[in-house]
Amino acid sequence: MSDGARSNRWQWMQRASAIALVLGVAACAPPPPPRPAPPPPVIIAPPPAPMPMPTPPNSAAPTLTIPGLDAMGRRMTPNVDLGPEQSLWQLRIALNVAALNCRGPGEVALVADYTRFLNANRAANSRAERWVIADQGRRNGTNGIAARDALSTRLYNYFAQPPVLQDFCRTATGVMALAAAEPTATIMAFAQTRLPEVDRPFADFYGAYDRYRADLILWQSRQVVPTPAVVPATPAPTPSTGN
């Protein structure tokens, strides 16, 4: 074998030994640590939907004047803190409004119950009305007739409020059936007990209306008022001197 061949063979053997050494070292080396998991994707929540403008309950007008609350949280409607005679007089007005305005499958029975209530309690209703006239006269320094008429008109308008009519009719229908069967000897005590029940739909409506007004104030506070753009003023032209 020539010297050149021996030299090439020796170099080849050296390279083979180096490769075998590298492979052996690699085989004995510990495995590389696992690659860290990628961070979770960032999910950007969509902005909340804008709050719709609140609307009055039961399609009521947006600027109603409603009775306030007293220190005990009672809604001060015209039917609060009444004696037996005035309670009966105002209950009769409420039931009259129901007989005139509540329509539906039960309206025939409703009118029949109202007729029975009137026929059975003529004396009690007359006595209650005389009491109201005298009370209004004392309050106003008059004979009380005109004051009674004015109060009666306000009460008819009160019980006939369109936003409350559906709930009022539902309640008044039940009370009407009870009033038709109530003995006349206890009809005034009955009126004091049942008039607040007939009034409850109105108090509930006023509570809903208060919540509407509070929601409207909150909604108005969240509206972004656009800032008007400031347009730089154009300088006035320099007056000519005529030279």
Side-chain angles (χ1 to χ4, degrees), residues 137-171:
R138 287 190 296 270
R139 293 172 182 267
N140 296 278
T142 64
N143 64 6
I145 300 295
R148 184 275 317 269
D149 291 344
L151 177 58
S152 178
T153 299
R154 291 196 300 272
L155 290 170
Y156 272 99
N157 291 336
Y158 174 85
F159 287 117
Q161 294 180 75
V164 196
L165 188 61
Q166 183 176 357
D167 290 340
F168 165 71
C169 287
R170 188 181 301 114
T171 301

Side-chain angles (χ1 to χ4, degrees), residues 24-105:
V25 171
C28 297
R35 297 177 64 183
V42 177
I43 300 176
I44 301 176
M51 176 182 175
M53 181 178 179
T55 57
N58 301 350
S59 302
T63 55
L64 287 183
T65 300
I66 65 174
L69 302 173
D70 69 358
M72 296 182 289
R74 299 181 304 168
R75 185 70 59 179
M76 298 307 292
T77 73
N79 301 299
V80 175
D81 291 338
L82 304 181
E85 292 86 0
Q86 184 138 10
S87 293
L88 177 59
W89 186 71
Q90 296 195 186
L91 179 65
R92 182 187 61 78
I93 291 176
L95 298 183
N96 191 356
V97 171
L100 292 172
N101 292 282
C102 298
R103 294 294 174 260

Side-chain angles (χ1 to χ4, degrees), residues 225-233:
V225 179
T227 303
V230 178
V231 179

Side-chain angles (χ1 to χ4, degrees), residues 117-156:
F117 162 74
L118 290 181
N119 291 337
N121 299 285
R122 290 186 184 279
N125 284 325
S126 295
R127 186 166 68 253
E129 186 166 15
R130 289 194 300 272
W131 187 94
V132 170
I133 292 172
D135 180 65
Q136 290 296 309
R138 287 190 296 270
R139 293 172 182 267
N140 296 278
T142 64
N143 64 6
I145 300 295
R148 184 275 317 269
D149 291 344
L151 177 58
S152 178
T153 299
R154 291 196 300 272
L155 290 170
Y156 272 99

